[in-house]
Structures are given as C-alpha cells and as structure tokens.
Amino acid sequence: MIGLTVRQMHYFDALAQTLHFGRAAKLAGVSQPALSSQIAEMEQRLNCRLFERGGKSVRMTDEAIALLPRIERILADIRDVETTARRGRTAMEGRFRLGIIPTIAPYLLPRALPELKKHFPALLLELREAVTTSLVEDTASRKLDAFIAALPLDHPGLITEALFPDRFFLAVPSDDPAFASPPVPPESPALERLMLLEEGHCLREQALAVCGNVRPVAMASYGATSLTTLLQMVAHGLGVTLIPEMATGPAGTIPDLKIVPFQEPMPQRMICLAWRSNNARHGECVELAKIIRGLGPVLLPA
C-alpha cells in the first residue's frame, strides 16, 4: 500500500502551482525543509521522481503532470467534505480560493481585503489573477471556489451574483484637440486610434462592443497585458483606450492623461461573483457577494 497523506498532496499541489520550493512552502504555511521532506517521501512512496530540481528552478516530470489532475480532484472533494461539516458554524473560515480578472483586481482588492478580514478574521484567502476564460475553467474544475469578473459569463454550470455596475470612460492624451469638448459619441472617428488589451481580456471585447461603429481595421492592438500599460501609452500620445470607472481615480494621477465621458446612455459593465452551482460553499459565496456589493459606491467616484 502506497499510503500517501493528505498533507503530502497539499504540498504537491502547492509546488505544482508555484514551481518554487520557497513560494510553495509559504503557500502551504510550512517551512521549506518540511515541504521538501514531504515531497521527497511522496516520491519514495510512489517510486518515481515528481519534480526535477535545477538550482532555483523546478520542473514537473511527466509522472507529476499525469498525477496533478487526480490530486486536485481529491483535494477538492476533501474541501467539500470539510465545508459540509462546517455548516451551521462561522461562515467564511479556512482556505477560500478566489479568482479575479486583471481589470478589476488592482482597484477592488485594496478596498475588499481589509473589509473581508474585518468580517471574517478566520478566512485564509488565496487569490488568483487571470483572464475570464481561465477563471471559468478553474472554477468548473474546482481549482477555485469562486471568481470576480464581468457579465456575461457563458457557462451553464455557474451561478452568478451581480455586484455593481461599472461605467466606461475614455482615457485620452490631455492635449488631444479631438476630445476638447466631451462627452464623446461612441461613433467618433477619433476612436479609430483605440488601443486594446491582448486577446483573452474581456475588456478588449467590451471595447469592441462599445465602439462597434468604428472601423475595426483602424484599431491598434499592441498586445498589452495590463490597463496600466495602456494608460501610460495613452499619456505619451500613442492613442486612446477604454477605462472602467473604478480605475479612473488612480488614473487621474498620471501626468498628461485626461478622462472623458461618453455620451449618455454611458456604456457599462456589470461586475459579478461566480461559483459552481454544486459548490458546497454556496452560502459563503452569497455572503461574500453581499460584502463586495456594499463596496460598489465606495469604489466608483461620484
């Protein structure tokens, strides 16, 4: 009998996520020697090498790659058992894996994390920032408990809870004469200089939907992976870009950048929390949505 322990599987999962013994130990909440020892014992019991160590780099072997989805399923089942056992006790305690898209994370998390800590002091929140498609897949496969993104989400196995609307503005160079007299109509020829995030970001698709009457062949795509990068490019006169209202406060500190409104009715996205319909932590997700929903008025400038 091989006799793997749950602890070893947790350590294996942490190392597979980080590919770094130090970061994996921190994620697992143990010392690096303790984690290394358990991984070595796991390899001994399985009679195979799971990780190749080379200096500071770590690489998963073929055996580890084949083992990973099975261990993730086992750990997910254990978490569901633990959650079921906790029903009727303090909500939102222990490990909770939350995903969030990059165009929300920098603006929501500084407000949300202290609030969640205040309401749920026993909560151990693990965050993953990724594009919507990755978060949907990871939630469906039980790698995440829930995630924050923008509607719509096309997946039949998800429950979504609307949090708050987030209007769209336009970030332009402060001295650009084309935007001297806002508000801006969505069919303005000046939007032909619209810069987009790289493929996979929902903000890219939202920008295309908002400015659908502008010739798409004229839209410049620089493959930028962050809104911050695009805003710096705008400030240097390389084009214009769409910006969510929750990002307008921090963007206002960037020199040579101006935020202008669209014509009414202003386009917007709806921020939501999503989780699996069969998630044993349904009640906790509803409570989490309630807390975050209350932050909406604070996040969005009047």
Side-chain angles (χ1 to χ4, degrees):
M1 182 176 179
I2 293 176
L4 294 182
T5 67
V6 174
R7 176 184 299 173
Q8 288 167 350
M9 288 187 281
H10 273 302
Y11 294 176
F12 172 90
D13 184 46
L15 188 53
Q17 288 183 52
T18 61
L19 294 179
H20 187 280
F21 277 92
R23 288 194 290 269
K26 185 176 181 180
L27 180 61
V30 297
S31 68
Q32 185 172 330
L35 183 136
S36 298
S37 173
Q38 288 296 314
I39 293 295
E41 183 176 335
M42 186 177 181
E43 290 177 324
Q44 183 178 1
R45 290 186 177 186
L46 293 173
N47 194 30
C48 68
R49 181 62 68 103
L50 298 173
F51 298 94
E52 297 289 349
R53 292 87 159 164
K56 293 185 178 180
S57 65
V58 177
R59 185 181 67 84
M60 295 177 68
T61 65
D62 291 341
E63 290 81 2
I65 292 171
L67 193 61
L68 179 60
R70 298 182 183 184
I71 285 183
E72 287 176 335
R73 285 195 295 270
I74 292 170
L75 293 176
D77 286 339
I78 291 172
R79 281 189 289 269
D80 284 347
V81 169
E82 292 171 343
T83 300
T84 301
R86 283 201 309 267
R87 283 177 179 166
R89 291 153 57 189
T90 304
M92 294 297 286
E93 63 180 10
R95 184 186 187 204
F96 191 94
R97 300 156 302 159
L98 180 67
I100 187 166
I101 61 174
T103 57
I104 295 178
Y107 316 109
L108 175 61
L109 291 180
R111 294 279 190 173
L113 294 181
E115 196 70 16
L116 292 174
K117 189 66 177 176
K118 181 176 73 174
H119 283 83
F120 311 115
L123 176 65
L124 178 60
L125 194 62
E126 294 181 7
L127 296 170
R128 184 185 174 213
E129 186 178 309
V131 298
T132 303
T133 52
S134 295
L135 297 180
V136 169
E137 292 172 3
D138 285 353
T139 302
S141 63
R142 302 194 293 182
K143 294 178 184 177
L144 290 174
D145 295 303
F147 68 93
I148 299 171
L151 290 171
L153 297 174
D154 185 20
H155 193 286
L158 292 178
I159 293 174
T160 59
E161 183 93 10
L163 299 177
F164 51 84
D166 188 19
R167 297 183 299 173
F168 286 119
F169 288 73
L170 200 63
V172 304
S174 58
D175 59 353
D176 194 323
F179 302 99
S181 301
V184 180
E187 66 278 4
S188 170
L191 294 179
E192 292 179 357
R193 294 183 285 121
L194 188 69
M195 296 187 297
L196 306 172
L197 290 172
E198 68 177 7
E199 295 282 356
H201 288 265
C202 64
L203 188 58
R204 174 189 177 90
E205 304 307 317
Q206 291 157 353
L208 291 170
V210 168
C211 307
N213 293 327
V214 179
R215 291 177 298 158
V217 293
M219 292 185 180
S221 178
Y222 291 88
T225 59
S226 77
L227 182 58
T228 301
T229 299
L230 281 184
L231 293 175
Q232 290 294 337
M233 295 166 71
V234 171
H236 286 82
L238 298 180
V240 302
T241 197
L242 208 68
I243 179 172
E245 186 172 7
M246 66 168 63
T248 55
T253 64
I254 300 176
D256 303 318
L257 188 75
K258 181 169 69 173
I259 308 299
V260 296
F262 283 97
Q263 280 185 347
E264 295 286 355
M266 290 183 64
Q268 65 180 29
R269 61 179 180 173
M270 178 59 71
I271 308 303
C272 76
L273 181 73
W275 62 93
R276 295 185 319 279
S277 57
N278 61 349
N279 191 342
R281 308 188 79 161
H282 173 86
E284 294 174 90
C285 291
V286 171
E287 189 67 19
L288 179 63
K290 179 181 177 182
I291 298 299
I292 298 175
R293 186 181 297 113
L295 297 173
V298 180
L299 288 168
L300 306 179

